[in-house]
Amino acid sequence: MKIDVLTIFPEFFREVFDFGIIRRAKLAGIVEINVHDIREYAVDKHKMVDDRPFGGGDGMVLKPEPIFAAIEDLIGTSERAAYPQGTCVVLLSPQGPPFGQPAAMELADTADHLVIICGRYEGVDERVNEALVTDEISIGDYVLSGGEPAAVVVVDSIVRLLPDALGSETSAENDSFSRGLLDCPHYTRPAEFRGMKVPDVLLNGDHAEIEKWRYQRALEKTRALRPDLIKNEEG
Ligand code: 9D3
């Protein structure tokens, strides 16, 4: 998968994709991630990327020309109908449907070229949305200053779902949310720490018993903390 991020703050992403699973996926050639400064596509001599809103009001709106130019450079066309198969242009904005594991799976499955446009607090010229965007995404009901933190969230959740991105030691299908339950508690050494003991069942090597315990605890924890997740779960 190729991922291009369009932002007015490219420095924000300087190191964020250089750790853990994303770093490994990049090194393994599973994903290529490039961050582009929208300003590099500015058309005028002042390199303007935003301007005052028509109709008045506070703040600045991201101009359409640099974003159209960037899309033409990265995709080859700014006609959404002419995008190659597997091309998705995501606009991160509070107006999108809230992002979740199903949307991450869908994008991981179907996109081979993902272009992510980071919106800003003041807004993006609506013609970007009308002409270029295939998916508008919000990451939840809270106010961010812009789409940049959301881009990190979306990229991380998608890249780890790409085939072979996770080591053989883990599998995305076992993840909380994919399974529909929160995770069970985890412990490591020491077996007793400041008077707090690791549950005996984890120490006695009965793996069938351990699996049963883990499932029960995951169920209990989900019932207590996220009952909304277990509507269809038995137990
Ligand atoms: C209510 C009027 N707008 C503020 C002038 C709303 C608004 C627009 C843009 C609030 C925040 C933002 C900037 N946020 C994003 O670009 C954003 C976001 C978010 O704020 N929450 C959750 N997901 C996302 S994805 C992009």
Side-chain angles (χ1 to χ4, degrees):
M1 178 183 285
K2 186 162 182 267
I3 301 177
D4 291 296
V5 179
L6 292 177
T7 174
I8 60 169
F9 296 131
E11 295 291 289
F12 180 93
F13 297 94
R14 190 191 270 284
E15 296 187 306
V16 75
F17 297 134
D18 289 341
F19 299 90
I21 286 162
I22 299 183
R23 174 189 161 84
R24 215 176 50 188
K26 281 164 64 180
L27 291 172
I30 292 164
V31 67
E32 177 187 334
I33 305 174
N34 294 115
V35 177
H36 309 271
D37 188 348
I38 291 172
R39 198 170 297 276
E40 304 214 326
Y41 292 98
V43 286
D44 65 305
K45 67 173 183 190
H46 295 108
K47 301 263 176 217
M48 276 208 342
V49 293
D50 55 10
D51 205 341
R52 290 151 54 220
F54 274 124
D58 293 329
M60 303 285 269
V61 174
L62 290 186
K63 292 168 66 60
E65 302 97 315
I67 298 177
F68 274 68
I71 293 293
E72 278 159 9
D73 181 40
L74 297 170
I75 300 179
T77 175
S78 53
E79 296 227 35
R80 186 166 45 206
Y83 289 167
Q85 182 117 59
T87 303
C88 292
V89 176
V90 168
L91 176 64
L92 294 170
S93 93
Q95 280 81 43
F99 189 66
Q101 195 65 19
M105 286 168 137
E106 175 77 15
L107 286 168
D109 258 14
T110 61
D112 41 54
H113 188 191
L114 198 58
V115 182
I116 300 177
I117 304 168
C118 299
R120 294 303 305 166
Y121 189 78
E122 299 75 10
V124 180
D125 189 287
E126 185 63 17
R127 288 163 291 192
V128 167
N129 213 344
E130 285 170 9
L132 304 179
V133 170
T134 61
D135 303 85
E136 196 172 14
I137 290 176
S138 158
I139 61 163
D141 292 339
Y142 36 80
V143 180
L144 300 173
S145 311
E148 284 77 9
V152 175
V153 168
V154 167
V155 167
D156 189 288
S157 66
I158 292 170
V159 168
R160 63 195 311 291
L161 291 174
L162 296 177
D164 302 322
L166 300 185
S168 48
E169 73 275 15
T170 43
S171 110
E173 280 94 73
N174 283 338
D175 277 0
S176 161
F177 292 110
S178 298
R179 190 177 52 159
L181 290 179
L182 299 181
D183 210 353
C184 62
H186 300 281
Y187 297 88
T188 186
R189 292 186 292 181
E192 182 173 347
F193 172 68
R194 300 192 180 184
M196 297 177 281
K197 288 186 170 154
V198 173
D200 278 332
V201 58
L202 298 178
L203 305 176
N204 63 24
D206 183 341
H207 289 285
E209 196 66 18
I210 289 170
E211 273 323 295
K212 221 169 75 189
W213 178 88
R214 285 182 168 156
Y215 179 72
Q216 280 310 319
R217 292 304 310 272
L219 209 53
E220 277 169 34
K221 215 166 162 179
T222 309
R223 209 181 278 122
L225 301 176
R226 291 293 307 276
D228 57 300
L229 293 179
I230 10 183
K231 281 202 183 68
N232 308 315
E233 195 84 19
E234 82 275 25

